[in-house]
Amino acid sequence: MKPTHIEHLGVAVPKLEDAIPYFEQLLGSKCYSIEEVADQKVRTAFFKVGQTKIELLEPTSPESTIAKWLEKNPRGGVHHVAFNFEGGLQKVLDEAAANEWQLIDKQPRKGAENLNIAFLHPKSTHGILTELCEQPK
Ligand code: CMX
Protein backbone atom coordinates (compact mmCIF):
# COMPACT_ATOMS: atom_id res chain seq x y z
CA MET A 1 0.00 0.00 0.00
CA LYS A 2 1.56 3.27 -1.09
CA PRO A 3 -0.54 6.25 -2.16
CA THR A 4 0.83 8.42 -4.96
CA HIS A 5 -0.39 11.68 -3.40
CA ILE A 6 -3.16 13.31 -1.39
CA GLU A 7 -5.99 13.40 -3.94
CA HIS A 8 -8.09 15.88 -1.97
CA LEU A 9 -9.02 17.32 1.37
CA GLY A 10 -12.77 17.23 2.01
CA VAL A 11 -13.94 20.38 3.76
CA ALA A 12 -17.49 20.54 5.11
CA VAL A 13 -19.19 23.94 4.84
CA PRO A 14 -22.75 25.03 5.61
CA LYS A 15 -23.09 26.77 2.21
CA LEU A 16 -20.81 26.48 -0.84
CA GLU A 17 -21.47 29.98 -2.13
CA ASP A 18 -20.38 31.53 1.19
CA ALA A 19 -17.08 29.62 1.22
CA ILE A 20 -16.07 29.69 -2.47
CA PRO A 21 -14.82 33.32 -2.55
CA TYR A 22 -12.44 32.68 0.38
CA PHE A 23 -10.89 29.61 -1.29
CA GLU A 24 -10.64 31.38 -4.66
CA GLN A 25 -8.69 34.18 -2.99
CA LEU A 26 -6.55 31.90 -0.85
CA LEU A 27 -5.62 29.57 -3.71
CA GLY A 28 -5.47 32.21 -6.47
CA SER A 29 -7.60 30.05 -8.74
CA LYS A 30 -11.26 29.70 -9.61
CA CYS A 31 -13.50 26.89 -8.45
CA TYR A 32 -13.39 24.65 -11.55
CA SER A 33 -16.41 22.44 -10.89
CA ILE A 34 -19.61 22.29 -8.87
CA GLU A 35 -21.23 18.86 -8.77
CA GLU A 36 -24.07 17.25 -6.85
CA VAL A 37 -23.41 13.72 -5.57
CA ALA A 38 -26.98 12.54 -5.04
CA ASP A 39 -26.27 9.29 -3.20
CA GLN A 40 -24.06 11.13 -0.67
CA LYS A 41 -26.62 13.96 -0.36
CA VAL A 42 -23.97 16.64 -0.96
CA ARG A 43 -23.06 19.41 -3.38
CA THR A 44 -19.34 19.71 -3.99
CA ALA A 45 -17.05 22.49 -5.26
CA PHE A 46 -13.50 21.77 -6.40
CA PHE A 47 -10.25 23.73 -6.45
CA LYS A 48 -6.75 22.66 -7.49
CA VAL A 49 -3.64 23.11 -5.35
CA GLY A 50 -0.84 21.46 -7.36
CA GLN A 51 -1.70 17.76 -7.69
CA THR A 52 -4.11 17.95 -4.76
CA LYS A 53 -7.65 19.31 -4.67
CA ILE A 54 -9.83 20.94 -2.08
CA GLU A 55 -13.37 19.53 -2.14
CA LEU A 56 -15.95 21.70 -0.40
CA LEU A 57 -19.00 19.73 0.73
CA GLU A 58 -22.42 21.22 1.43
CA PRO A 59 -25.26 18.97 2.65
CA THR A 60 -28.35 18.81 0.43
CA SER A 61 -30.48 17.06 3.06
CA PRO A 62 -30.66 16.96 6.88
CA GLU A 63 -29.95 13.18 6.58
CA SER A 64 -26.63 13.84 4.88
CA THR A 65 -23.58 12.65 6.80
CA ILE A 66 -22.21 16.18 6.24
CA ALA A 67 -25.30 17.74 7.87
CA LYS A 68 -24.76 15.50 10.89
CA TRP A 69 -21.06 16.45 11.08
CA LEU A 70 -21.92 20.19 10.79
CA GLU A 71 -24.28 19.88 13.76
CA LYS A 72 -21.18 19.13 15.87
CA ASN A 73 -18.89 21.52 13.93
CA PRO A 74 -21.14 24.40 12.85
CA ARG A 75 -18.38 26.57 11.34
CA GLY A 76 -17.25 23.70 9.08
CA GLY A 77 -13.73 22.29 8.77
CA VAL A 78 -11.66 19.41 7.43
CA HIS A 79 -14.00 16.42 7.19
CA HIS A 80 -11.81 13.79 5.46
CA VAL A 81 -8.48 13.16 3.77
CA ALA A 82 -8.41 11.29 0.44
CA PHE A 83 -5.34 9.39 -0.78
CA ASN A 84 -4.82 8.42 -4.43
CA PHE A 85 -3.76 4.89 -5.33
CA GLU A 86 -2.85 3.17 -8.58
CA GLY A 87 -2.99 -0.51 -9.48
CA GLY A 88 -6.41 -1.53 -8.12
CA LEU A 89 -8.38 -0.16 -5.18
CA GLN A 90 -9.82 -3.56 -4.18
CA LYS A 91 -6.26 -4.73 -3.43
CA VAL A 92 -5.76 -1.71 -1.15
CA LEU A 93 -9.09 -2.43 0.58
CA ASP A 94 -8.11 -6.09 1.09
CA GLU A 95 -4.85 -4.95 2.67
CA ALA A 96 -6.72 -2.46 4.88
CA ALA A 97 -9.07 -5.27 6.01
CA ALA A 98 -6.08 -7.53 6.73
CA ASN A 99 -4.69 -4.72 8.93
CA GLU A 100 -8.03 -4.80 10.79
CA TRP A 101 -8.85 -1.25 9.77
CA GLN A 102 -12.60 -0.76 9.75
CA LEU A 103 -13.97 -0.52 6.20
CA ILE A 104 -17.03 1.66 5.65
CA ASP A 105 -17.09 0.45 2.03
CA LYS A 106 -16.13 -3.19 1.49
CA GLN A 107 -15.72 -2.58 -2.21
CA PRO A 108 -14.99 0.52 -4.30
CA ARG A 109 -17.91 2.65 -5.42
CA LYS A 110 -18.27 5.79 -7.52
CA GLY A 111 -17.71 9.21 -5.92
CA ALA A 112 -17.47 12.81 -7.09
CA GLU A 113 -15.54 13.34 -10.34
CA ASN A 114 -16.30 9.70 -11.21
CA LEU A 115 -13.43 8.52 -8.96
CA ASN A 116 -13.48 5.00 -7.57
CA ILE A 117 -13.59 5.50 -3.80
CA ALA A 118 -13.91 3.72 -0.46
CA PHE A 119 -13.86 5.06 3.10
CA LEU A 120 -12.15 3.82 6.27
CA HIS A 121 -13.84 4.53 9.60
CA PRO A 122 -12.14 7.24 11.73
CA LYS A 123 -12.36 4.98 14.79
CA SER A 124 -9.67 2.76 13.27
CA THR A 125 -7.58 5.51 11.60
CA HIS A 126 -6.56 7.73 14.51
CA GLY A 127 -9.60 9.96 14.16
CA ILE A 128 -9.18 10.81 10.46
CA LEU A 129 -12.02 9.82 8.16
CA THR A 130 -9.87 8.37 5.37
CA GLU A 131 -10.91 8.06 1.74
CA LEU A 132 -9.06 5.75 -0.64
CA CYS A 133 -9.33 6.81 -4.29
CA GLU A 134 -8.37 5.63 -7.73
CA GLN A 135 -8.76 7.55 -10.99
CA PRO A 136 -11.40 6.04 -13.34
CA LYS A 137 -10.04 3.93 -16.20
N1 CMX B 1 -13.89 12.66 11.03
C1 CMX B 1 -13.53 12.11 12.22
N2 CMX B 1 -14.41 11.51 13.05
C2 CMX B 1 -15.70 11.49 12.67
C3 CMX B 1 -16.13 12.03 11.45
C4 CMX B 1 -15.17 12.64 10.60
N3 CMX B 1 -15.51 13.18 9.44
N4 CMX B 1 -17.48 11.85 11.34
C5 CMX B 1 -17.87 11.20 12.46
N5 CMX B 1 -16.80 11.00 13.25
C6 CMX B 1 -16.79 10.33 14.56
C7 CMX B 1 -17.72 11.03 15.54
O1 CMX B 1 -17.05 12.08 16.20
C8 CMX B 1 -18.12 9.91 16.47
O2 CMX B 1 -17.10 9.68 17.40
P1 CMX B 1 -17.48 9.30 18.92
O3 CMX B 1 -18.26 8.00 18.83
O4 CMX B 1 -16.15 9.16 19.58
O5 CMX B 1 -18.32 10.44 19.42
C9 CMX B 1 -18.19 8.69 15.53
O6 CMX B 1 -17.36 9.02 14.40
C10 CMX B 1 -19.60 8.40 15.05
O7 CMX B 1 -20.13 9.64 14.59
P2 CMX B 1 -21.62 9.90 14.16
O8 CMX B 1 -21.86 11.36 14.21
O9 CMX B 1 -22.56 8.99 14.92
O10 CMX B 1 -21.59 9.55 12.64
P3 CMX B 1 -21.98 8.21 11.91
O11 CMX B 1 -21.46 7.02 12.65
O12 CMX B 1 -23.42 8.24 11.55
O13 CMX B 1 -21.11 8.41 10.57
C11 CMX B 1 -19.19 7.91 9.36
C12 CMX B 1 -19.76 8.54 10.62
C13 CMX B 1 -17.70 8.21 9.31
C14 CMX B 1 -19.42 6.38 9.40
C15 CMX B 1 -19.95 8.52 8.12
O14 CMX B 1 -19.73 9.90 8.11
C16 CMX B 1 -19.54 7.93 6.79
O15 CMX B 1 -19.98 6.85 6.41
N6 CMX B 1 -18.67 8.64 6.03
C17 CMX B 1 -18.24 8.19 4.73
C18 CMX B 1 -19.04 8.83 3.64
C19 CMX B 1 -18.90 10.33 3.63
O16 CMX B 1 -18.26 10.95 4.48
N7 CMX B 1 -19.53 10.98 2.63
C20 CMX B 1 -19.48 12.41 2.47
C21 CMX B 1 -18.44 12.81 1.48
C22 CMX B 1 -18.77 12.36 0.09
C23 CMX B 1 -17.81 12.82 -0.98
O17 CMX B 1 -16.63 13.13 -0.69
O18 CMX B 1 -18.27 12.87 -2.13
Side-chain angles (χ1 to χ4, degrees), residues 40 55 65 68-69 72 79-80 104 119 122-123 127 129:
Q40 293 294 301
E55 176 190 37
T65 177
K68 200 168 170 190
W69 190 87
K72 292 187 186 166
H79 176 261
H80 64 267
I104 293 175
F119 281 91
K123 284 196 169 167
L129 176 58

Side-chain angles (χ1 to χ4, degrees), residues 8 10 37 39-40 42 44 46 55 57 64-66 68-69 72-73 78-80 102 104-105 109-112 117 119-123 127-131:
H8 65 266
V37 185
D39 74 321
Q40 293 294 301
V42 292
T44 60
F46 282 94
E55 176 190 37
L57 297 147
S64 163
T65 177
I66 297 298
K68 200 168 170 190
W69 190 87
K72 292 187 186 166
N73 306 273
V78 176
H79 176 261
H80 64 267
Q102 196 180 325
I104 293 175
D105 301 293
R109 59 184 172 84
K110 284 292 175 187
I117 65 162
F119 281 91
L120 303 180
H121 200 287
K123 284 196 169 167
I128 300 170
L129 176 58
T130 301
E131 183 177 348

Side-chain angles (χ1 to χ4, degrees), residues 121-137:
H121 200 287
K123 284 196 169 167
S124 66
T125 58
H126 302 273
I128 300 170
L129 176 58
T130 301
E131 183 177 348
L132 313 173
C133 303
E134 188 170 48
Q135 304 302 313
K137 295 260 153 38

